[in-house]
């Protein structure tokens, strides 16, 4: 497309105004972004836990399952509730992981439902 911008000189017009963001279809769902970040935070908290955790392997498997769910379209609350409940069962008694687990639950609740309540 071309225009003259009031000068009489043709200029090419490309794209929209400066500062435009990517088209909506290219933007990541903010719920997925928050859930992805919450999974990362819990994964780091779990990795930094100095104490032995009997169910550490199961917790890591559930975090991997959540990560896999984030590779496609927005997951359903039902799909998210199972891994969340199993993570709560495996890590819920570790007070050092409580803030990260609470963030994960809040991120799951962004998808609707109450995370299995």
């Amino acid at each position: 497309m071309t225009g003259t911008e009031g000068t009489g000189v043709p200029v090419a017009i490309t794209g929209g105004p400066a500062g435009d963001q990517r088209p909506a279809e290219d933007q990541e769902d903010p719920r997925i972004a928050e859930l992805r970040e919450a999974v990362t935070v819990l994964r780091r908290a779990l990795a930094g836990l100095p104490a032995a955790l009997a169910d550490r392997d199961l917790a890591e498997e559930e975090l991997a399952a959540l990560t896999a769910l984030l590779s496609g379209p927005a997951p359903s609350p039902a799909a998210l509730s199972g891994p969340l409940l199993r993570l709560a069962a495996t890590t819920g008694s570790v007070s050092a992981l409580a803030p990260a687990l609470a963030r994960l639950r809040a991120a799951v609740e962004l998808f609707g439902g109450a995370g299995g309540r």
Side-chain angles (χ1 to χ4, degrees), residues 20-84:
D20 271 359
Q21 295 183 0
R22 297 179 295 174
E25 64 272 3
D26 289 345
Q27 291 182 346
E28 182 176 44
D29 182 334
R31 300 172 305 164
I32 291 177
E34 176 57 27
L35 184 54
R36 184 175 282 119
E37 181 63 22
V39 166
T40 299
V41 167
L42 183 55
R43 183 174 278 128
R44 286 180 184 155
L46 184 61
L49 191 65
L53 181 61
D55 292 327
R56 183 183 300 263
D57 289 342
L58 181 56
E60 290 173 356
E61 287 173 18
E62 294 305 325
L63 288 169
L66 281 172
T67 300
L69 286 172
L70 299 176
S71 64
S76 71
L80 296 172
S81 66
L84 176 63

Side-chain angles (χ1 to χ4, degrees), residues 79-90:
L80 296 172
S81 66
L84 176 63
L85 289 172
R86 288 185 290 276
L87 280 163
T90 59

Side-chain angles (χ1 to χ4, degrees), residues 1 5 12-23:
M1 178 182 236
E5 295 193 327
I13 301 173
T14 59
D20 271 359
Q21 295 183 0
R22 297 179 295 174

